[in-house]
Amino acid sequence: MTSSLSRTQIVRKTVPKTRAGVVAAQNSRAARIGAQVLAEGGNAVDAAVAVSFAIGVLEPWMSGPAGGGAMMLWHGDAGRAETVFYGMRAPSALDPADYPLAGTGKAGDLFPWDAVVGDRNIRGGSAVAVPGVVDGIGEAHARYGRMPWRELLAPAIKIAREGLPVDWYAALMIASATRGLAEDPDAAAMFLEDGQWPTVAGWTSTQQKTLSLDGMAATLSEIAEQGHRALYDGDLGASLARDMQEKGSRLSHGDLRDYHAEFQTPLSFARGAARFHVTPHLTAGPTFRDIFAALPSFSGQPDAAAFSAFAEALKSAYAARLDGMGDDGESPAQPGSTTHFAITDRDGNMVSMTQTLLSAFGAHTVSPSTGLLMNNGIMWFDPVPGRRNSLAPGKRCLMNVCPVIGETGSRRFAFGASGGRKIVGAVAQLSSFVADFGMDLEAAFHHGRIDVSGGDLVTADESLPAELLRSLSERHDVTPFRRTVFPYAFACPAGIMRDGEINSGCTEIMSPWGDAIAEPETQP
């Protein structure tokens, strides 16, 4: 199919370089909020709290308080990395018998699982897992934050009270999920107009529509005043569990009270003079390591041989990844509903954080008492019994998130991405561009990449040199693809770098919302 997209348009992102802190996030307004926190004396963890909650309001289809994720921390004063894991888990009363196989082929969403009757593992209350984001970011703040918790949630509360701005991108996201959202009255009331996606401003209009998020604002206010455990231990948690049970979930208040994020020792490994630190369990961290273990040494610039090596390493790593991974490993996924941001402060502390609802709009289900859009983490499990990743009560969900901290020479960087099983390949290539080929952040993020997300097909950025693509095609089944605003054929990364005392940041160049904001430039 011939595309009508412009062939002469050039897209680039500005990369700030400063001795001050930098926030790189998939939403520019959230990045500005985080940078303002740094300007007010907060550290990287403080900024991460503000960005986490703000981006959950600004992009509720991507992530939010009812999701899960993981983060990598770098402690600049101690020169060490640390993992905080806050992935979702199945309710303790989950019964696999509630998810009978349909016997009609594969599921229609992100995973190649056998289809379940009524898509009960994909949408609705029965798809909801125990959320972890609020406890994860709350525990990190309790241990390392400087600024008062309530002050860090204030920007998100303000935005929620103002309402969700509906620009063309938000309208496009809502339109893509309208059928699913319409099945839940509370989700329909939050996101739709008379059962349809909301209209946006006309061609020449300057008026922007907003959607009410009053319920979310009230919930965030309660979490701000009572602390992060309010969503788990208090009346808020009880109301959330009751709402979900009324919608067919096995989630209980006890599940929420029993949930606790984990501080973990990272999986750290060397590659030549470089060193990487990634999440050790239930994420794509081990696959990231396997990719580099399969790569040869590189020199010069990334050429056809280098990209062929990337393709082979990704194929072999995914073959291992897809072969019987379970609660002790990882599972496959395609692009879903995820956001990543990276932060460094003036002192060199770093946060690389990914949070997700799994699918776009999660379970397409809203808790009416809390105004929160719920995750569909149960879809991470294989519904066929007797396998390593089969459904089971209390079992931890698996994620494709891959936040990484890297060190090479005078440079330290924090990378990550959204994009399901496209994430790890993108983060590995960006890390290789820096560690193996000596690129700075701007060169790495603007360079073309490939994607191999399982199987033999190699999707290649068509902006790569024609001779490189021809040579790569001689060895692999290659499909060139345009890097576009929507949809994304590749992952959507965000990252920061500290070179000596100079900080920089960048986000996916085709993202219309993403930005890296330097601390002196902040106005939320």
Side-chain angles (χ1 to χ4, degrees):
M1 180 180 295
T2 302
S3 171
S4 297
L5 292 172
S6 168
R7 294 285 165 173
T8 59
Q9 184 179 30
I10 298 174
V11 179
R12 296 192 66 83
K13 283 287 178 75
T14 299
V15 175
K17 296 182 180 180
T18 176
R19 292 180 182 273
V22 176
V23 180
Q26 288 180 202
N27 183 280
S28 181
R29 189 174 178 187
R32 292 197 301 273
I33 287 168
Q36 182 65 30
V37 168
L38 297 178
E40 293 172 356
N43 61 18
V45 170
D46 292 319
V49 175
V51 173
S52 173
F53 282 100
I55 211 165
V57 175
L58 290 163
E59 293 185 342
W61 48 82
M62 288 292 187
S63 65
M71 75 175 85
M72 288 298 307
L73 303 177
W74 178 262
H75 303 286
D77 55 348
R80 70 178 180 91
E82 186 175 23
T83 298
V84 186
F85 180 83
Y86 41 93
M88 306 172 217
R89 64 173 62 238
S92 58
L94 181 140
D95 185 351
D98 290 341
Y99 304 87
L101 299 179
T104 56
K106 300 298 182 181
D109 209 297
L110 306 178
F111 296 90
W113 308 139
D114 288 4
V116 168
V117 171
D119 285 336
R120 290 177 50 80
N121 59 332
I122 297 176
R123 287 189 294 275
S126 56
V128 175
V130 185
V133 163
V134 175
D135 193 60
I137 197 68
E139 288 299 311
H141 175 264
R143 185 172 292 193
Y144 301 117
R146 294 176 185 166
M147 293 179 63
W149 174 258
R150 66 171 61 87
E151 290 184 16
L152 299 173
L153 270 68
I157 295 168
K158 179 177 183 290
I159 297 169
R161 286 174 176 163
E162 293 171 350
L164 175 68
V166 182
D167 61 6
W168 68 268
Y169 189 70
L172 179 60
M173 292 300 300
I174 295 170
S176 69
T178 293
R179 289 187 179 182
L181 294 169
E183 295 177 6
D184 181 82
D186 300 299
M190 179 179 288
F191 294 107
L192 305 182
E193 293 180 347
D194 301 323
Q196 302 295 322
W197 61 85
T199 55
V200 293
W203 183 255
T204 60
S205 174
T206 59
Q207 298 296 316
Q208 188 175 71
K209 184 182 294 295
T210 60
L211 299 180
S212 173
L213 297 179
D214 290 344
M216 184 184 292
T219 292
L220 295 180
S221 296
E222 192 165 339
I223 294 172
E225 293 303 317
Q226 298 184 15
H228 66 279
R229 289 301 301 182
L231 187 62
Y232 300 86
D233 301 331
D235 293 340
L236 203 57
S239 297
L240 179 66
R242 182 175 59 253
D243 286 350
M244 289 303 98
Q245 289 171 9
E246 291 175 355
K247 295 190 177 189
S249 175
R250 298 276 186 160
L251 178 70
S252 70
H253 194 196
D255 290 323
L256 293 166
R257 289 193 298 262
D258 290 343
Y259 185 92
H260 295 283
E262 305 171 27
F263 288 87
Q264 300 173 340
T265 300
L267 170 61
S268 301
F269 65 96
R271 175 174 170 79
R275 188 163 182 79
F276 298 113
H277 312 277
V278 293
T279 48
H281 308 297
L282 300 165
T283 64
T287 305
F288 179 94
R289 175 202 55 194
D290 292 345
I291 290 169
F292 276 96
L295 287 174
S297 298
F298 293 131
S299 61
Q301 295 297 313
D303 55 12
F307 276 99
S308 183
F310 283 141
E312 292 294 347
L314 287 166
K315 287 179 182 180
S316 64
Y318 267 106
R321 182 179 178 82
L322 301 179
D323 184 18
M325 292 296 186
D327 198 320
D328 295 327
E330 308 115 71
S331 90
Q334 293 177 3
S337 172
T338 304
T339 193
H340 180 84
F341 55 87
I343 301 169
T344 183
D345 59 28
R346 290 174 177 263
D347 298 323
N349 302 302
M350 293 182 173
V351 174
S352 183
M353 178 171 173
T354 312
Q355 56 189 45
T356 183
L357 292 177
L358 185 48
S359 290
F361 291 91
H364 294 70
T365 294
V366 168
S367 159
S369 299
T370 65
L372 298 182
L373 182 62
M374 303 303 296
N375 70 78
N376 63 336
I378 297 302
M379 192 176 63
W380 261 309
F381 299 111
D382 188 339
V384 176
R387 298 177 179 175
R388 191 164 183 181
N389 189 40
S390 295
L391 280 160
K395 195 171 185 177
R396 295 177 297 175
C397 298
L398 310 171
M399 301 183 295
N400 293 90
V401 303
C402 191
V404 60
I405 301 288
E407 303 176 81
T408 176
S410 64
R411 294 172 170 174
R412 185 166 294 113
F413 56 87
F415 290 167
S418 63
R421 65 185 180 192
K422 299 178 185 292
I423 290 173
V424 65
V427 176
Q429 286 172 82
L430 288 168
S431 299
S432 177
F433 291 164
V434 173
D436 293 326
F437 298 103
M439 293 185 193
D440 64 10
L441 195 70
E442 183 169 5
F445 270 68
H446 286 82
H447 201 285
R449 302 190 303 270
I450 64 170
D451 177 72
V452 183
S453 303
D456 292 328
L457 180 65
V458 176
T459 303
D461 186 339
E462 67 174 32
S463 70
L464 289 166
E467 180 57 37
L468 188 156
L469 293 175
R470 281 194 295 270
S471 180
L472 191 62
S473 298
E474 293 173 359
R475 310 180 200 184
H476 304 277
D477 181 10
V478 175
T479 297
F481 203 93
R482 184 83 178 272
R483 209 162 160 181
T484 60
V485 169
F486 188 91
Y488 288 137
F490 308 93
C492 184
I496 53 93
M497 178 181 287
R498 184 175 178 85
D499 191 347
E501 295 184 355
I502 302 300
N503 298 321
S504 58
C506 195
T507 60
E508 166 56 38
I509 63 170
M510 296 307 302
S511 169
W513 279 8
D515 258 329
I517 305 296
E519 179 183 330
E521 305 171 9
T522 58
Q523 285 298 327

